[in-house]
Amino acid sequence: VRCQHYPPLRALQASAALRRASDEHKKEPLTSSSQQHFDPPPAGHQPEQEPQGPRPSYTGQGGQESEDYESEEQLQHRILTAALEFVPEHGWTAEAIAEGAKTLGLSVAAAGMFHSDGSELILHFLSECNAKLSELLEKEQKLVQLGEAEKKPIDEFLRHAVEARLRMLIPYIEKWPQALSVLLLPRNIPSSLNLLTSMIDDIWHYAGDQSTDFNWYTRRAVLTGIYNTTELVMMQDSSPDFEDTWRFLENRVADAMTMSNTASQVQSTGEAVVQGLMGAAVTVSSAETSRAVR
Amino acid sequence: AGGASLRLCSTRVAQEGINKPVIDRIIRVDHAGEYGANRIYAGQMAVLGRSSVGPVIQQMWNQEKDHLKKFNELMVAYRVRPTVLLPFWNVAGFVLGAGSALLGRKGAMACTVAVEESISEHYNNQIRTLIEEDPEKYKELLQVIKQFRDDEQEHHDIGLEHDAEATPAYSVLKTAIQLGCKAAIFLSERI
């Protein structure tokens, strides 16, 4: 599965504090973050001042050592996954992350590890969706290779892949417009663009694209356009099971196929015309020559 | 291990544990190079195809076509993006080939010598890079590049045999073309 993980980039101090607290479930740790949406920690608490190395080891307060060392990235991954459940209710916010952390038995201060606009949560969700799509397409490819399934024609395959990917948004559809606007923040654009392009590349790869010329770019650009416009239509669609969206998708894919057929027709017509002109030129010049000779 | 590093994973067996950025670059630039070489020979044939040196150029062109075919396969196998500049190399290569051929057959041979020398050096650099990385892991790729480097070296020698050095302003021409090749390699690796 071709996947990319985007670990959040917050200070390690907060996560180290989180680990101590998670072991005890008693104290509310003070985090270094200034933006909090929940109750401040009880007064009289000592702030965390211990210097942290790049890889704090996970030792419990009671002198116990955890058996599996979990990296910070894995921990953040777990928290974000757990947080997804609360997105329909709280949106892509620190609240959702806090609730997610609570279900894992961690302190709500865990949300301090992440940006308050939910960027990491959204990027995490995107990367999970892409991974799921890759897995699905890989599985279907295997079935085709084993002869257990028919190979779909290109337009049907593209429709199927885009629909499968967009359906993953359905549980979060109410809050997805918010997510799209967060993804357009300059800070997030490199990551979101990266995720988008790798998803489109994956779809074309499994569709059997083997182009090694400029078509490589044309195809991906066209599919990106189809995906983005269909996603926007989906945001505004209120038909049962989004049937309007899938019909829109079908039309766009059909348009793209027509466009590519037309393009190749234009090309072959052009080549035929050129050949015809060359033939005419040769005929005329040999006629001239023979007349001159006479 | 912790830290904010990006983790890339792939289902293709061929891509487990390979240094994707390095291999990407290598295949992308080599593909562009063979594509350009094809266009150069096409340009030369357009002008000199019916001359006495035509068959020689045609034979070298055929070998470049095989090279390009191989890199097309590798590009698909390793899922590498082709360079955006392909349409540009299409035109520039043809113009260079036709232009050098208009200087006469010695000019065409001089162009061949210059280009093939650049390409051989470039392939040698890549061979060094791959050997430094992991000769075992990249055995197939190394074999291909070594073979192609030998072919290009042969073209270079054929060019010399056909009086490339007798071209008027040979060293100026050669330097200019090789500078162009260096720029093309630099750009194709990145975009």
Side-chain angles (χ1 to χ4, degrees), chain A residues 1-3 73 202 212 217, chain B residues 7 9 11 72 79 81-82:
Chain A
V1 168
R2 196 178 189 208
C3 52
E73 197 185 315
D202 254 359
T212 53
Y217 290 93
Chain B
R7 252 201 337 263
C9 44
T11 44
N72 280 336
R79 287 180 69 171
R81 160 182 79 80

Side-chain angles (χ1 to χ4, degrees), chain B residues 73-144:
Chain B
E73 289 167 15
L74 286 174
M75 190 164 249
V76 173
Y78 283 91
R79 287 180 69 171
V80 175
R81 160 182 79 80
T83 165
V84 233
L85 297 170
L86 278 179
F88 184 69
W89 299 144
N90 187 351
V91 173
F94 192 88
V95 165
L96 175 62
S100 63
L102 286 171
L103 293 174
R105 53 192 76 150
K106 296 203 193 87
M109 290 301 152
C111 170
T112 301
V113 167
V115 171
E116 301 294 7
E117 193 178 300
S118 287
I119 292 195
S120 300
E121 188 191 320
H122 163 72
Y123 277 150
N124 277 332
N125 288 339
Q126 290 191 338
I127 292 171
R128 267 190 284 271
T129 306
L130 287 176
I131 290 183
E132 272 166 18
E133 283 273 328
D134 189 337
E136 272 313 301
K137 210 191 295 181
Y138 303 119
K139 199 155 68 152
E140 194 219 325
L141 193 54
L142 267 170
Q143 225 168 326
V144 168

Side-chain angles (χ1 to χ4, degrees), chain B residues 32-190:
Chain B
E34 296 301 343
Y35 183 79
N38 254 276
R39 295 303 293 155
I40 292 176
Y41 283 124
Q44 290 188 341
M45 279 304 283
V47 176
L48 291 172
R50 271 168 287 234
S51 72
S52 61
V53 83
V56 178
I57 301 179
Q58 180 67 52
Q59 203 233 352
M60 292 196 284
W61 188 13
N62 290 341
Q63 277 185 309
E64 299 295 354
K65 285 185 187 157
D66 283 338
H67 289 187
L68 181 60
K69 198 149 120 339
K70 184 64 183 168
F71 274 116
N72 280 336
E73 289 167 15
L74 286 174
M75 190 164 249
V76 173
Y78 283 91
R79 287 180 69 171
V80 175
R81 160 182 79 80
T83 165
V84 233
L85 297 170
L86 278 179
F88 184 69
W89 299 144
N90 187 351
V91 173
F94 192 88
V95 165
L96 175 62
S100 63
L102 286 171
L103 293 174
R105 53 192 76 150
K106 296 203 193 87
M109 290 301 152
C111 170
T112 301
V113 167
V115 171
E116 301 294 7
E117 193 178 300
S118 287
I119 292 195
S120 300
E121 188 191 320
H122 163 72
Y123 277 150
N124 277 332
N125 288 339
Q126 290 191 338
I127 292 171
R128 267 190 284 271
T129 306
L130 287 176
I131 290 183
E132 272 166 18
E133 283 273 328
D134 189 337
E136 272 313 301
K137 210 191 295 181
Y138 303 119
K139 199 155 68 152
E140 194 219 325
L141 193 54
L142 267 170
Q143 225 168 326
V144 168
I145 296 182
K146 281 183 186 160
Q147 173 63 48
F148 289 7
R149 187 236 6 227
D150 294 342
D151 290 344
E152 308 295 1
Q153 193 63 39
E154 198 189 311
H155 292 179
H156 170 264
D157 296 339
I158 291 177
L160 286 176
E161 275 170 36
H162 282 81
D163 301 327
E165 287 164 322
T167 319
Y170 172 70
S171 49
V172 175
L173 190 62
K174 183 165 173 234
T175 314
I177 293 178
Q178 293 194 322
L179 261 169
C181 285
K182 278 204 176 64
I185 290 174
F186 179 85
L187 288 172
S188 300
E189 274 181 342
R190 286 156 185 79

